[in-house]
Amino acid sequence: MSTPHVVVVMGVAGTGKTTIGPLLAARLGVPYAEGDDFHPQANIDKMSAGTPLEDADRWPWLDAIGVWAHGRAGLGGVVSCSALKRSYRDRLRASAPGAVFVHLAGDRALIEDRMAHRQGHFMPTALLDSQFATLQPLQADEAGVAVDVSGSPEEITERAAKALDALPETSR
């Protein structure tokens, strides 16, 4: 990417947003923000208990990420955020109109296996079905790319960087 943009690394739980986000930020030479850090404690408690978030739970979280993204406009940055629905991405774009999305996508079995083996995260594998049910992939009119999550973190990051570079300038 030739100009600094805010990149939102999105996808269902377990796709590697927290792993790929910092690697992509380092590759692009911009700061990284962990989307989970923007959640209020009530959201974390709800998800930890195995209860999916409702839109009303997500709006303040998305708005907080949007404030960060707006502050990075013109400077660049990478932030992780599930951004599963178009309406969530629209809300982020309302704060940061130039945001570009990297949708980390993959096979459900692979993602579930990764979730089962990660440690210290509040999102249980039981919520994966609700994540996939909520997911609305990027549409043709949305600035962004889908990147397969098979392979090593370095391979996925390389795929993401190449896909971003290949976007037409008008999409970034």
Side-chain angles (χ1 to χ4, degrees):
M1 292 174 62
S2 58
T3 56
H5 290 278
V6 173
V7 176
V8 179
V9 178
M10 63 166 282
V12 300
T15 54
K17 296 180 297 291
T18 298
T19 300
I20 303 306
L23 292 173
L24 185 59
R27 170 80 185 267
L28 298 175
V30 296
Y32 170 73
E34 170 55 52
D36 286 341
D37 292 344
F38 294 90
H39 273 298
Q41 188 61 46
N43 284 7
I44 293 170
D45 293 345
K46 196 170 188 179
M47 289 183 286
S48 295
T51 304
L53 297 180
E54 297 174 17
D55 285 354
D57 301 316
R58 288 188 180 93
W59 299 136
W61 172 62
L62 291 165
D63 291 343
I65 292 172
V67 167
W68 183 89
H70 178 78
R72 296 301 312 163
L75 302 171
V78 174
V79 62
S80 60
C81 174
S82 55
L84 299 177
K85 287 185 181 180
R86 170 73 184 247
S87 60
Y88 305 163
R89 297 187 296 272
D90 288 345
R91 193 158 182 133
L92 291 170
R93 277 191 293 269
S95 295
V100 177
F101 293 82
V102 171
H103 177 192
L104 299 180
D107 175 72
R108 189 194 186 291
L110 172 66
I111 294 167
E112 184 173 21
D113 182 63
R114 287 181 179 175
M115 282 183 77
H117 289 95
R118 67 183 182 181
Q119 309 225 343
H121 196 277
F122 57 82
M123 178 69 87
T125 57
L127 289 182
L128 190 55
D129 287 337
S130 73
Q131 293 258 302
F132 272 106
T134 302
L135 177 63
Q136 297 171 344
L138 289 172
Q139 301 300 302
D141 66 332
E142 293 185 89
V145 296
V147 176
D148 178 60
V149 296
S150 61
S152 71
E154 294 74 21
E155 290 168 332
I156 299 164
T157 301
E158 181 65 22
R159 249 183 257 134
K162 284 183 178 179
L164 287 169
D165 281 342
L167 279 175
E169 189 61 36
T170 57
S171 297
R172 325 185 221 150

